Amino acid sequence: MTAAAADAPLPRADRIGDAALDLLVERGMRGLTHRAVDERAGLPQGSTSNHARTRQALLETAVRRQVQHEAAVLAPHELPPADAGPEALTDALALALHRYLTDHRALLVSRYELALEATRRPELRAFFDSAGAVFHGPLIAMMREAGSPAPERHALSLIAWCEGLMFSCAAGSFHASVPSRADLRTGFDELLRGMLGGAGG
């Protein structure tokens, strides 16, 4: 990407999505309105309605932008090859989780707002399912290659541990205490050792 491209204004859809996520973090679902998004994004009144006429369409715009941001933070492409071994997997997972907890905690709050809304709007589930699949597939393959006797179950356990830790540090009782990258690595190592019978890094 050239410097000029990097400095180019965001597309209107991305500006609307970013404004929607900001509002979800600051005001919750009730504060997400078309008018509020226009104001937050610095767009002429009616711009958000023209892009996303219904509330469902506005939520989908927010979810798409959430997925884009999460992909940049969690970076599935940074996962090591499936045959790299548990130690490489431990390092990669600790890096991604620490990055999320230290630099992108607001993104966790918007995710929880959208996830709760998705429980009431089944049509939003497809966005979350497709986003998760980007990360789930490589992780399952790595667990299988590492010798897991139940790669899908073990991948789910790893993801659930990550989700629980993220919630605890973003909105739960440990919100004031973020584990270090070394602590996260130790946690992942302990999990993998338990799953793989001592083969962890």
Side-chain angles (χ1 to χ4, degrees):
M1 178 180 293
T2 65
D7 294 336
L10 284 174
R12 178 164 294 194
D14 290 348
R15 292 174 63 186
I16 290 172
D18 285 343
L21 295 179
D22 287 345
L23 289 167
L24 287 173
V25 172
E26 293 180 12
R27 306 179 190 177
M29 193 59 65
R30 290 185 178 181
L32 180 62
T33 66
H34 287 76
R35 180 184 293 274
V37 172
D38 283 341
E39 293 174 355
R40 176 55 59 90
L43 295 171
Q45 185 174 340
S47 297
T48 300
S49 292
N50 287 336
H51 172 76
R53 188 160 300 279
T54 65
R55 183 166 182 80
Q56 174 64 26
L58 178 56
L59 287 169
E60 290 179 359
T61 298
V63 172
R64 287 191 188 97
R65 193 62 173 151
Q66 178 83 21
V67 169
Q68 290 173 350
H69 285 306
E70 289 197 0
V73 174
L74 297 176
H77 65 277
E78 291 182 355
L79 284 174
D83 59 354
E87 186 170 355
L89 176 59
T90 297
D91 288 336
L93 292 174
L95 172 62
L97 190 55
H98 188 257
R99 181 190 295 150
Y100 216 145
L101 291 174
T102 53
D103 297 327
H104 302 278
R105 296 179 75 175
L107 198 58
L108 287 170
V109 177
S110 59
R111 178 208 280 196
Y112 298 139
E113 290 284 349
L114 290 166
L116 287 172
E117 188 67 10
T119 66
R120 298 179 287 269
R121 293 176 179 264
E123 57 270 30
L124 286 181
R125 295 309 320 176
F127 292 93
F128 284 91
D129 292 345
S130 62
V134 173
F135 191 71
H136 297 173
L139 188 57
I140 291 171
M142 293 192 72
M143 294 305 297
R144 181 179 295 112
E145 189 70 27
S148 166
E152 292 188 4
R153 177 166 57 83
H154 285 161
L156 172 61
S157 294
L158 276 175
I159 292 169
W161 185 80
C162 291
E163 292 281 3
L165 191 64
M166 288 190 293
F167 182 85
S168 294
C169 292
S173 57
F174 288 89
H175 66 91
S177 177
V178 176
S180 67
R181 184 175 168 186
D183 286 340
L184 291 173
R185 193 192 187 287
T186 297
F188 279 119
D189 184 60
E190 291 167 345
L191 285 171
L192 288 171
R193 284 181 182 277
M195 294 174 182
L196 303 175

